[in-house]
């Protein structure tokens, strides 16, 4: 079984976020990048399936060279090899087309990724990949098991409960907790990751469908006003005229 796991290179949630002077680009200066946490659930589950059933796990990233330390981390966690499509991930459709091209060429049985990336929270790529390849897409799944060599069972949340889905290979799935418990690479994994294959491919011709015209930070929170508990009228006035929630 060949499993392709797609990972994104995203800013650490503890990083201080800034934009360029014209507010059109994210300012990377001083920002620590990590593997997208949702993708780690997919990666760990893929490795668990490989350990239980055999096969290979390939990590795929659509990104520039600065993503390679985190690609190596994924190899240290247990992936067998990696591919980096040498392109800036300009929008979801562009990324999905790159993933679909790699998946089609490699003839993978299963394509896994996180339910969304924590930078844009778009939750679009997995569905697009499934559509481009003409295969089922199950999203977002919190449990994934193989029933036999050709059939998987997944569980996903729906309003008011859960849905159990059985699907034939190949398919696309996005992961969320508690699909697996993300692993920390050990020293042996870190050492072996240095020699594992990391292929760099040029992107296929694809046009972005969206353009980000500007970024802005949330407005700063205003000061707290203390209202006398006996003065309900003042509270109502402030909620109506200042907070505008009434």
């Amino acid at each position: 079984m060949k499993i392709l796991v797609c990972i994104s290179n995203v800013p650490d949630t503890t990083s201080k976020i800034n934009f360029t002077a014209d507010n059109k680009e994210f300012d990377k200066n001083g920002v620590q990048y990590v593997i997208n946490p949702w993708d780690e659930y997919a990666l760990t589950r893929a490795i668990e399936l490989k350990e239980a059933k055999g096969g290979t796990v390939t990590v795929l990233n659509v990104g520039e060279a600065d993503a390679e330390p985190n690609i190596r981390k994924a190899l240290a966690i247990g992936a067998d090899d990696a591919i980096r499509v040498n392109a800036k991930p300009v929008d979801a459709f562009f990324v999905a087309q790159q993933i679909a091209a790699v998946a089609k060429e490699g003839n993978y049985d299963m394509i896994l990724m996180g339910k969304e990336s924590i930078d844009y929270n778009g939750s679009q790529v997995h569905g697009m990949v499934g559509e481009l390849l003409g295969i089922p897409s199950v999203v977002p799944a919190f449990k994934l098991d193989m029933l036999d060599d050709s059939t998987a069972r997944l569980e996903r949340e729906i309003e008011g409960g859960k849905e159990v889905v059985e699907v034939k290979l190949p398919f696309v799935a996005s992961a969320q907790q508690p699909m697996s418990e993300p692993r920390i690479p050990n020293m042996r994994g870190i050492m072996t990751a240095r020699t594992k294959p990391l292929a760099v491919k040029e992107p296929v011709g694809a046009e972005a469908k969206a353009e980000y015209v500007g970024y802005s930070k949330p407005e700063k929170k205003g000061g707290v006003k203390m209202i006398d508990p006996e003065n309900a009228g003042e509270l109502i006035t402030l909620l109506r005229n200042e907070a505008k929630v009434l």
Side-chain angles (χ1 to χ4, degrees):
M1 182 167 59
K2 295 177 65 178
I3 305 175
L4 182 67
V5 180
C6 309
I7 64 171
S8 297
N9 195 45
V10 299
D12 193 316
T13 53
T14 61
S15 298
K16 186 176 181 180
I17 301 302
N18 289 300
F19 304 110
T20 55
D22 58 2
N23 289 324
K24 290 187 176 181
E25 294 283 343
F26 175 70
D27 187 354
K28 295 183 177 182
N29 291 323
V31 175
Q32 177 70 34
Y33 279 76
V34 298
I35 298 173
N36 179 45
W38 296 113
D39 296 336
E40 289 195 79
Y41 292 109
L43 174 61
T44 306
R45 187 60 186 139
I47 294 168
E48 291 171 348
L49 290 172
K50 180 190 76 168
E51 292 170 346
K53 302 288 186 179
T56 60
V57 174
T58 299
V59 168
L60 170 62
N61 170 259
V62 180
E64 297 171 303
D66 57 3
E68 292 196 3
N70 281 323
I71 298 175
R72 289 290 177 192
K73 180 182 177 183
L75 293 171
I77 291 171
D80 298 289
D81 63 308
I83 298 169
R84 179 174 67 83
V85 176
N86 188 33
K88 184 177 180 180
V90 289
D91 80 338
F93 185 71
F94 176 83
V95 171
Q97 286 213 318
Q98 307 311 313
I99 294 171
V102 171
K104 192 171 184 178
E105 180 182 354
N107 196 30
Y108 292 93
D109 300 299
M110 191 183 303
I111 304 164
L112 303 180
M113 62 191 76
K115 69 172 188 175
E116 61 188 0
S117 61
I118 63 169
D119 49 3
Y120 287 95
N121 301 104
S123 195
Q124 302 176 71
V125 173
H126 33 68
M128 292 178 178
V129 172
E131 184 67 20
L132 288 167
L133 293 173
I135 60 177
S137 176
V138 183
V139 298
F142 63 83
K143 189 173 182 180
L144 166 60
D145 294 300
M146 294 299 300
L147 297 180
D148 54 42
D149 291 342
S150 62
T151 309
R153 174 179 288 168
L154 300 97
E155 295 182 15
R156 67 188 193 100
E157 290 182 354
I158 58 173
E159 187 174 354
K162 69 177 182 180
E163 181 179 65
V164 180
V165 179
E166 292 185 6
V167 60
K168 293 288 186 181
L169 305 181
F171 65 88
V172 179
S174 68
Q176 67 175 32
Q177 65 188 109
M179 180 176 281
S180 62
E181 184 65 34
R183 299 181 180 183
I184 298 173
N186 55 35
M187 184 55 65
R188 183 175 181 274
I190 293 171
M191 297 299 291
T192 58
R194 297 176 181 177
T195 59
K196 289 182 177 180
L198 196 173
V200 178
K201 294 179 177 288
E202 291 306 310
V204 298
E207 293 185 5
K209 300 295 184 181
E211 178 186 359
Y212 298 98
V213 297
Y215 297 89
S216 63
K217 293 183 179 181
E219 293 183 8
K220 292 183 178 179
K221 293 182 179 180
V224 176
K225 292 185 177 181
M226 304 301 293
I227 308 298
D228 190 312
E230 302 298 326
N231 194 352
E234 182 183 359
L235 175 61
I236 292 171
T237 299
L238 290 170
L239 291 173
R240 180 181 291 119
N241 298 331
E242 291 192 16
K244 300 187 184 302
V245 295
L246 293 180

